Amino acid sequence: MNLLDGKKAAQAIKDELKIDVAQLVSEGKKIPHLVAVLMGNDGASETYVAAKVKACDEVGFKSTLFRFTKNEPANRLFEKIHELNHDPDVDGILVQLPLPGHIDEKQIIDAIDPDKDVDGFHPVSVGKMVQGLPSFVAATPLGIMLLIKHYNIETKGKHAVVVGRSNIVGRPISILLNNNTNPGNCTVTVCHSKTTDIQSICLQADIIIAAIGKAKFITADMVKEGAVVIDVGITRVPDDSKKRGYRLQGDVDFENVAPKCSWITPVPGGVGPMTIAALLQNTFQSCTEKN
Ligand code: GUN
């Protein structure tokens, strides 16, 4: 069993970006600028946004965080997005989700200029990705693809089973793995909550992407010997031994599944760090394409 170490792979991508930013600076060119918009004070969202801002600092990007209170009316958010869409200094706009209940998330995402949609959630970005055209790809599926690439995992002709069909992970990663690219060219099966006999389908998988959001859902009796297992789950489970009172638990029963795998991601330290590296890569791409 080998570990797909997301921390190491993400660091390698950040090191490359650092060099690329230094090159832009030396040529007197504009450096990438990511703007994050955070509404309310959800604990997990605060943590994610802080990590994104810190990562921008690490690689030499400019970043700005705009905060809105949780009761702010929707029009204030629309005004801000409109302003950012038209600000030539802004390369990427990220509205941290989830948003408070009175805000229509879809309308907010639709309001972002697709050319600055570094989160890859806009229907234009998703449509391009589905057609195999260059586009911003959402951070988690792109991070998984970058991790597979970093470790030179062979995907061509393999059977990938994606467990979960969410718009931000399951569905897009199923498209990317199926595209005529490298990595890619998999035969893909997508399982979901209504799938009958997930176990027999998973047992046929050369590659399992576990993105169902249920702690330890993938057990050893669902995994073929030699499979590659990528765990997207980050369920918070109570743990008194931790200072913060919880630990992050993946969708895979790591302890029992790992011995059967050729490659497996740990949780934490697998897909998580890769999502930030992917967001940075999208922001860099947005900046250099426009300037
Ligand atoms: N909430 C959970 N994941 C994400 C993400 O990738 N982007 C944004 N904007 N919000 C999120």
Side-chain angles (χ1 to χ4, degrees), residues 60-134:
F61 289 7
K62 182 175 167 186
S63 68
T64 309
L65 170 60
F66 288 103
R67 285 177 171 275
F68 289 87
T69 60
K70 70 172 189 300
N71 297 319
E72 205 97 31
N75 67 313
R76 292 284 318 279
L77 208 51
F78 282 114
E79 278 164 21
K80 177 54 74 183
I81 290 171
H82 187 72
E83 178 194 316
L84 298 171
N85 281 346
H86 291 90
D87 183 343
D89 189 52
V90 174
D91 301 300
I93 304 168
L94 175 161
V95 178
Q96 188 63 30
L97 306 179
L99 291 169
H102 66 289
I103 308 279
D104 183 332
E105 284 184 357
K106 179 160 168 39
Q107 280 184 4
I108 295 291
I109 290 167
D110 288 357
I112 297 171
D113 178 349
D115 287 342
K116 300 188 178 188
D117 174 38
V118 290
D119 248 340
F121 291 167
H122 193 285
V124 168
S125 307
V126 177
K128 285 183 177 174
M129 180 205 58
V130 170
Q131 293 187 337
L133 298 171

Side-chain angles (χ1 to χ4, degrees), residues 32 134-136 142 280-290:
S135 67
F136 293 120
L142 178 57
L280 295 176
Q281 210 174 72
N282 280 346
T283 307
F284 185 85
Q285 181 192 320
S286 178
C287 175
T288 51
E289 275 172 5
K290 279 198 282 294

